[in-house]
Amino acid sequence: MKYLIIIISVIFLIGCNSNEMVEVSFSEKEDVLFEEYVIPFQFFPRTIEVVGLGDSLTQGVGDELKQEGYLGRLQQHFSQYKGIEDVPLTNTAKRGRRSDQLLKMLKDGEIDHQIRKANLITLTIGGNDIMKVVKKDLFNLKVETFEKELVKFERNYKKILQEIREVNSTAPIIVVGLYNPITIVTDEKSEFDQILNDWNNIIEETASNDRNACFVPIDQLFMTNSNLVYHTDFFHPNSKGYKLVIEEIVETMQDCGLIDADKRELLF
């Protein structure tokens, strides 16, 4: 043991007496760069509240399979998306409801709670406004007879969206257009086709002024009953008709950047 101590002491003395300094250099440690990681929507299970507003089309009248029309099918569709735990559905729509009646409900705050909690809102309204005029003179429809009613409808529709936004400013609104049930009565072209176009244009234009609204045209789906898309009342869609509507909604929502149907992802 004493020899080991002597050897260490000698080495130490030699090192102390040396005039040369031993330079020890350490290379600089490079910074490790980490890319920012964004947690995807699908990481945490999500609950998507869907609220339906409007008339019989949203209520699902005519759906013999009792799946609540397009709205129930939309609920089923979203439940299959990545990261979606639950899709609660609140359907406030009612058969025969007109735009003035829906507007009154909104102004009175009857459905504020449902709208406030909604992550997605769907809306169909206007068909009964038109039919109120149609019933007066079914086989002698003139564009002029609808002009006054269209002015009222446009005013109501704008106020409907305004009332919704006062309660919920962010939820996407799926605005579904109108279709022409008169094609069941006759395949002939009539002035009603132009009337329907005018009303749909008002709906689409009003929706375009809301950055989170998405207009879904469905008139082309019901131009004929050759593919049996109507219920036995020859006015409302049947289950096949509602299936076409939901397919159109999904395609349009994808165009609006709200969903990625191929990846099964919600983007809102």
Side-chain angles (χ1 to χ4, degrees):
M1 181 68 180
K2 65 179 181 179
Y3 295 110
L4 178 60
I5 296 175
I6 294 172
I7 293 172
I8 293 174
S9 300
V10 171
I11 294 174
F12 177 76
L13 291 173
I14 294 174
C16 290
N17 291 332
S18 175
N19 292 325
E20 295 181 0
M21 297 294 295
V22 179
E23 183 177 348
V24 180
S25 63
F26 298 92
S27 60
E28 293 185 1
K29 186 177 181 181
E30 295 183 359
D31 293 333
V32 178
L33 300 179
F34 294 95
E35 293 184 1
E36 183 179 355
Y37 180 73
V38 179
I39 299 177
F41 276 129
Q42 301 80 17
F43 188 81
F44 298 107
R46 300 174 63 202
T47 295
I48 301 297
E49 298 266 0
V50 179
V51 174
L53 308 176
D55 51 27
S56 58
L57 187 62
T58 294
Q59 185 181 356
V61 173
D63 183 3
E64 74 279 8
L65 297 183
K66 307 299 182 183
Q67 295 180 2
E68 291 196 71
Y70 80 81
L71 197 59
R73 287 166 173 79
L74 188 65
Q75 178 190 39
Q76 295 172 13
H77 184 79
F78 284 163
S79 66
Q80 301 171 21
Y81 277 45
K82 296 177 183 177
I84 302 304
E85 184 176 45
D86 192 19
V87 187
L89 177 62
T90 303
N91 195 342
T92 68
K94 183 178 180 181
R95 185 174 192 164
R97 182 172 288 151
R98 300 187 309 271
S99 63
D100 59 315
Q101 295 169 328
L102 176 58
L103 179 59
K104 184 178 185 302
M105 286 181 62
L106 294 168
K107 285 185 174 181
D108 292 345
E110 293 182 27
I111 49 180
D112 278 3
H113 175 69
Q114 293 90 328
I115 293 174
R116 186 174 293 110
K117 68 178 183 178
N119 300 108
L120 180 75
I121 299 169
T122 71
L123 171 64
T124 61
I125 203 72
N128 293 301
D129 296 63
I130 290 182
M131 293 311 298
K132 184 178 70 172
V133 181
V134 170
K135 290 175 182 178
K136 294 179 181 179
D137 201 353
L138 177 60
F139 294 103
N140 188 31
L141 299 174
K142 300 295 181 182
V143 175
E144 293 78 10
T145 60
F146 290 85
E147 290 180 348
K148 184 177 181 180
E149 198 66 32
L150 179 57
V151 172
K152 294 179 183 177
F153 174 73
E154 181 178 9
R155 182 173 61 248
N156 289 342
Y157 210 94
K158 289 179 178 178
K159 289 181 178 179
I160 285 170
L161 292 187
Q162 289 172 2
E163 290 289 335
I164 292 173
R165 286 306 181 208
E166 287 184 7
V167 179
N168 188 324
S169 61
T170 59
I173 304 176
I174 306 305
V175 176
V176 182
L178 308 174
Y179 64 93
N180 182 2
I182 306 301
T183 54
I184 293 299
V185 180
T186 175
D187 291 331
E188 296 180 4
K189 288 287 183 180
S190 69
E191 289 185 315
F192 190 73
D193 295 306
Q194 183 57 50
I195 292 168
L196 189 73
N197 287 337
D198 292 342
W199 285 59
N200 272 327
N201 287 339
I202 290 298
I203 295 173
E204 183 175 12
E205 181 181 343
T206 305
S208 68
N209 292 325
D210 186 311
R211 64 179 183 176
N212 285 331
C214 189
F215 173 71
V216 182
I218 62 169
D219 54 311
Q220 75 281 4
L221 304 179
F222 301 99
M223 296 181 69
T224 174
N225 196 38
S226 59
N227 53 350
L228 303 177
V229 294
Y230 279 95
H231 180 55
T232 52
D233 64 6
F234 297 113
F235 188 86
H236 295 96
N238 57 18
S239 60
K240 185 176 181 180
Y242 280 117
K243 182 176 182 293
L244 294 177
V245 173
I246 180 59
E247 289 173 354
E248 191 70 25
I249 289 175
V250 170
E251 181 177 341
T252 305
M253 288 185 69
Q254 183 157 279
D255 292 340
C256 290
L258 294 173
I259 63 174
D260 188 327
D262 296 329
K263 295 182 179 180
R264 294 281 175 170
E265 295 178 356
L266 296 181
L267 305 177
F268 60 89

